[in-house]
Amino acid sequence: MRSAVLHTLGSDLSVESLEPLPPAPRDVVVQVQASGICHTDLSMRNGLFPMMFSGPMIGGHEGAGVVVDVGAQVSRVALGDRVIASFRPACGTCPSCVAGRSHLCDAHGTFLHRPRALRHNGEQTVAMSGIGTFSEFLTCDEASVVRIESDLPASHLALLGCGMTTGVGAALFTARVQAGSTVAVLGCGGVGQSVIQGAAVAGAARIIAIDPIESKREIALRVGATDVIDPTTGPAHELVRELMRGRGVQYAFDVVGGPEAVASTYAMIDKGGMVVLVGYGPIDAELRLPAFDLQSQEKTVKGCVAGSAQVRRDFQKFIDLIETGRLKTDDLVSQEVALDDINIAMKAMLSGDVVRSVITAF
Ligand SMILES: [Zn+2]
Ligand SMILES: [Zn+2]
């Protein structure tokens, strides 16, 4: 099978032919039809998560495809099922899953370093997030795939594997945005655009999209933002408060990450407001927050991983929202590319012109 492999942190991925290892009893083999390229793939490549890198790794963590083989003990999916891979497993039986927090599944980490294929020289490769979607085929534990029913193109379904679920879920499940409320979203890439859409589905009265790139602000307006701000024209929190006639917003989503972005979103929220940390900065970054203001104004600063979504419940829910036009995927898939163009597509993300590149030719 052809796969894009990360060999050294900081270097380009290499597209090569691998020999997949046979599936274990609980494993599923998926023919990947589409794989989104997410900013986290770039962060992984650039060495932001050294603890998750243990040697040659098939990249990618956002994909959709069809089940082509199953281990003897697999019960959740069958041959021919359409599935979306989830970058966080949802085993269904650990205390987190049983408590309705499958996005924090205790099995996360168990599959990260499992060998999945051999290189031509016999060297083993693992798969990013236990799935490795930059590949013609992927082998993963059944905890990492969700069977879905849809006629949507795989290039759109793939987005649910990470970016879209993270963003929509951040609004609907992490923050639980209320109808009629006010929202600001800092950073309008694939995830930020999805936060905007989640807030729109929730019925937010005002959704302010903040991004320095004009094309992203235009997309934001198409997918549900009511106002846009160019943060190169002044401090974002001041521009938000100007729009809000001096008040802050009730929910501010930091989809950029890092202490500066958190400080900026914190300065945007009203009394009783909430900052949601969707983006992430360097893993050793620490935050400084005004403790008395946080306490006395009843503000909340909340982490968010995978949009707090329960993938076995929510993937199909999101598909229904896409199929009925209330979540929009057209503007999110900027271009379809071939696996061979992986490194070019990853660089295109930095230029800011691309919301999402999706690999559809392997
Ligand atoms: Zn991602
Ligand atoms: Zn679990």
Side-chain angles (χ1 to χ4, degrees), residues 90-94 97 105-106:
C91 77
T93 53
C94 75
C97 281
C105 176
D106 299 356

Side-chain angles (χ1 to χ4, degrees), residues 206 229 235-247:
R206 194 141 206 180
I229 282 176
H237 65 275
E238 283 178 18
L239 297 169
V240 166
R241 285 183 180 275
E242 222 168 86
L243 258 177
M244 293 293 300
R245 303 180 187 95
R247 295 187 77 90

Side-chain angles (χ1 to χ4, degrees), residues 22 25 177-178 191 201 219 276 288 329:
V177 167
Q178 299 297 299
V191 175
V201 166
I219 293 174
V276 181
R288 281 174 68 89
T329 43

Side-chain angles (χ1 to χ4, degrees), residues 71-230:
Q73 292 171 18
V74 167
S75 59
R76 287 205 173 104
V77 295
L79 290 187
D81 281 351
R82 264 196 127 177
V83 292
I84 297 174
S86 173
F87 78 98
R88 288 253 167 169
C91 77
T93 53
C94 75
S96 298
C97 281
V98 169
R101 292 191 291 268
S102 71
H103 58 298
L104 300 173
C105 176
D106 299 356
H108 178 64
T110 5
F111 309 124
L112 298 180
H113 304 293
R114 196 168 280 185
R116 288 305 184 188
L118 298 178
R119 300 187 62 229
H120 60 90
N121 60 2
E123 195 179 12
Q124 290 181 334
T125 64
V126 299
M128 183 171 175
S129 303
I131 50 181
T133 56
F134 294 164
S135 183
E136 227 178 327
F137 295 92
L138 68 83
T139 305
C140 67
D141 190 277
E142 67 172 330
S144 301
V145 289
V146 178
R147 189 178 81 87
I148 52 99
E149 284 178 19
S150 176
D151 294 323
L152 288 169
S155 56
H156 292 223
L157 291 175
L159 302 181
L160 291 176
C162 174
M164 197 156 190
T165 293
T166 297
V168 176
L172 292 182
F173 307 130
T174 311
R176 297 182 184 276
V177 167
Q178 299 297 299
S181 62
T182 51
V183 172
V185 181
L186 182 68
C188 299
V191 175
Q193 302 286 359
S194 301
V195 174
I196 291 165
Q197 302 204 48
V201 166
R206 194 141 206 180
I207 305 170
I208 305 167
I210 308 159
D211 199 284
I213 296 168
E214 193 182 357
S215 60
K216 290 190 178 173
R217 295 196 301 271
E218 283 166 7
I219 293 174
L221 287 169
R222 284 206 292 274
V223 301
T226 56
D227 305 87
V228 289
I229 282 176
D230 175 358

Side-chain angles (χ1 to χ4, degrees), residues 1-354:
M1 65 182 186
R2 278 163 49 76
S3 314
V5 181
L6 178 64
H7 287 280
T8 315
L9 295 180
S11 301
D12 279 353
L13 278 67
S14 81
V15 177
E16 49 193 84
S17 189
L18 302 179
E19 182 62 38
L21 289 165
R26 303 188 76 88
D27 282 348
V28 175
V29 182
V30 177
Q31 178 169 16
V32 182
Q33 294 174 319
S35 171
I37 303 173
C38 169
H39 213 275
T40 304
D41 296 310
L42 197 62
S43 302
M44 175 62 82
R45 172 201 179 280
N46 291 345
L48 226 70
F49 313 110
M51 68 294 186
M52 285 170 139
F53 185 74
S54 57
M57 170 193 273
I58 303 167
H61 64 282
E62 182 182 273
V66 174
V67 175
V68 292
D69 196 8
V70 291
Q73 292 171 18
V74 167
S75 59
R76 287 205 173 104
V77 295
L79 290 187
D81 281 351
R82 264 196 127 177
V83 292
I84 297 174
S86 173
F87 78 98
R88 288 253 167 169
C91 77
T93 53
C94 75
S96 298
C97 281
V98 169
R101 292 191 291 268
S102 71
H103 58 298
L104 300 173
C105 176
D106 299 356
H108 178 64
T110 5
F111 309 124
L112 298 180
H113 304 293
R114 196 168 280 185
R116 288 305 184 188
L118 298 178
R119 300 187 62 229
H120 60 90
N121 60 2
E123 195 179 12
Q124 290 181 334
T125 64
V126 299
M128 183 171 175
S129 303
I131 50 181
T133 56
F134 294 164
S135 183
E136 227 178 327
F137 295 92
L138 68 83
T139 305
C140 67
D141 190 277
E142 67 172 330
S144 301
V145 289
V146 178
R147 189 178 81 87
I148 52 99
E149 284 178 19
S150 176
D151 294 323
L152 288 169
S155 56
H156 292 223
L157 291 175
L159 302 181
L160 291 176
C162 174
M164 197 156 190
T165 293
T166 297
V168 176
L172 292 182
F173 307 130
T174 311
R176 297 182 184 276
V177 167
Q178 299 297 299
S181 62
T182 51
V183 172
V185 181
L186 182 68
C188 299
V191 175
Q193 302 286 359
S194 301
V195 174
I196 291 165
Q197 302 204 48
V201 166
R206 194 141 206 180
I207 305 170
I208 305 167
I210 308 159
D211 199 284
I213 296 168
E214 193 182 357
S215 60
K216 290 190 178 173
R217 295 196 301 271
E218 283 166 7
I219 293 174
L221 287 169
R222 284 206 292 274
V223 301
T226 56
D227 305 87
V228 289
I229 282 176
D230 175 358
T232 61
T233 61
H237 65 275
E238 283 178 18
L239 297 169
V240 166
R241 285 183 180 275
E242 222 168 86
L243 258 177
M244 293 293 300
R245 303 180 187 95
R247 295 187 77 90
V249 291
Q250 283 157 299
Y251 307 91
F253 294 84
D254 163 22
V255 199
V256 174
E260 225 175 280
V262 175
S264 172
T265 41
Y266 189 87
M268 288 173 199
I269 57 170
D270 199 9
K271 289 179 275 192
M274 180 189 290
V275 169
V276 181
L277 275 59
V278 188
Y280 51 83
I283 53 170
D284 56 354
E286 293 190 357
L287 302 177
R288 281 174 68 89
L289 293 168
F292 182 69
D293 180 74
L294 178 71
Q295 176 269 326
S296 61
Q297 305 296 316
E298 272 204 356
K299 292 176 177 173
T300 304
V301 176
K302 196 169 183 186
C304 167
V305 69
S308 315
Q310 309 306 293
V311 291
R312 299 196 186 284
R313 176 196 69 188
D314 296 325
F315 277 174
Q316 194 64 46
K317 187 185 291 182
F318 292 159
I319 287 167
D320 290 341
L321 285 164
I322 296 169
E323 288 180 346
T324 53
R326 284 168 296 165
L327 288 180
K328 297 169 181 65
T329 43
D330 285 347
D331 274 316
L332 267 52
V333 180
S334 316
Q335 56 174 357
E336 295 190 18
V337 298
L339 185 66
D340 286 312
D341 297 327
I342 178 87
N343 294 305
I344 301 168
M346 280 175 95
K347 282 176 193 117
M349 206 160 26
L350 287 176
S351 74
D353 296 332
V354 171

